[in-house]
Amino acid sequence: MSHWKIAAAQYEPLQRSLSEHVAHHLQFIQAAAKCQCELLVFPSLSLLGCVDEDDALPAPPDEELLQPLAHAAATYRMTIIAGLSVEHHDRFVKGIALFSPWMTSPLMFHQSHGACIARQQNAISVVDSQPEGIDIDPTFSLFTTCQSVSEPELLSSASRLQSFSHKFAIAVLMANARGSSALWDEGGRLIVRADSGSLLLTGQRTPRGWQGDIIPLR
């Protein structure tokens, strides 16, 4: 496999307007672009400020307000996964927006548990059910998940993701707003884990395996 660089955005939950959240996302996108990342994953409900998933969620944002993110994806040739609310069965639930260099508008998915990515085919498959119970197509080389959890749920989630990585022989990238974002390789080995704070966790896949780094942001 040729070189492939990916990143997870991490920062404490923020109480801001949607336009301010979009601007905040763009700061992380620009930082990831400087690192030549092809994929950037944000935490759960990132466009709402990484709020508690048990809280009542607002209506989904107007797609026009998200165009700066779609433009950034095209400009930097970067796939971006951000969290937001979506409407499903007459109520607002957790979902993700997928921005891609080859799409002019984002794709929206409800109740996403993550996404499988096949870089060589420019293919993405969103996982709606618990990932432990699905079959993974061998063409997919990365599973990403967006979270906003703290201990003890974080410890349990990290343990499940590491086991999932080992079971399906797939690298796993977790973006968690409240710290400890992480990357595991195809054997379930931890490559890099963040502490707390505002940062980019990056991973680079080379023919010799994965390497990781932490880049602080202010």
Side-chain angles (χ1 to χ4, degrees), residues 81-96:
I81 299 176
L84 76 178
S85 60
V86 298
E87 187 171 2
H88 182 66
H89 294 327
D90 298 322
R91 68 190 190 97
F92 305 135
V93 300
K94 181 186 78 169
I96 63 171

Side-chain angles (χ1 to χ4, degrees), residues 25 40-47 69 80-84 95-99 107-108 146:
H25 279 55
L40 175 59
V41 182
F42 284 88
S44 177
L45 297 173
S46 60
L47 286 166
L69 300 180
I80 300 164
I81 299 176
L84 76 178
I96 63 171
L98 174 65
F99 302 87
L107 296 178
M108 309 289 188
C146 312

Side-chain angles (χ1 to χ4, degrees), residues 170-188:
I170 188 170
V172 173
L173 176 67
M174 175 184 70
N176 185 50
R178 302 172 192 271
S180 297
S181 297
L183 171 68
W184 294 269
D185 71 6
E186 295 84 354

Side-chain angles (χ1 to χ4, degrees), residues 66-172:
L66 304 180
Q67 279 305 304
L69 300 180
H71 178 72
T75 298
Y76 298 119
R77 302 190 61 80
M78 183 188 304
T79 298
I80 300 164
I81 299 176
L84 76 178
S85 60
V86 298
E87 187 171 2
H88 182 66
H89 294 327
D90 298 322
R91 68 190 190 97
F92 305 135
V93 300
K94 181 186 78 169
I96 63 171
L98 174 65
F99 302 87
S100 168
W102 57 87
M103 296 185 300
T104 57
S105 299
L107 296 178
M108 309 289 188
F109 301 92
H110 74 278
Q111 296 286 27
S112 169
H113 288 277
C116 292
I117 298 174
R119 181 212 184 195
Q120 301 298 332
Q121 300 179 4
N122 286 337
I124 296 177
S125 176
V126 174
V127 178
D128 285 331
S129 59
Q130 289 290 345
E132 292 84 352
I134 66 173
D135 292 326
I136 301 292
D137 188 315
T139 61
F140 289 110
S141 52
L142 179 71
F143 176 79
T144 70
T145 179
C146 312
Q147 301 193 32
S148 181
V149 298
S150 53
E151 296 183 14
E153 185 180 354
L154 175 59
L155 295 176
S156 175
S157 178
S159 178
R160 290 196 308 271
L161 289 170
Q162 186 172 27
S163 297
F164 172 81
S165 175
H166 182 267
K167 177 181 178 180
F168 291 101
I170 188 170
V172 173

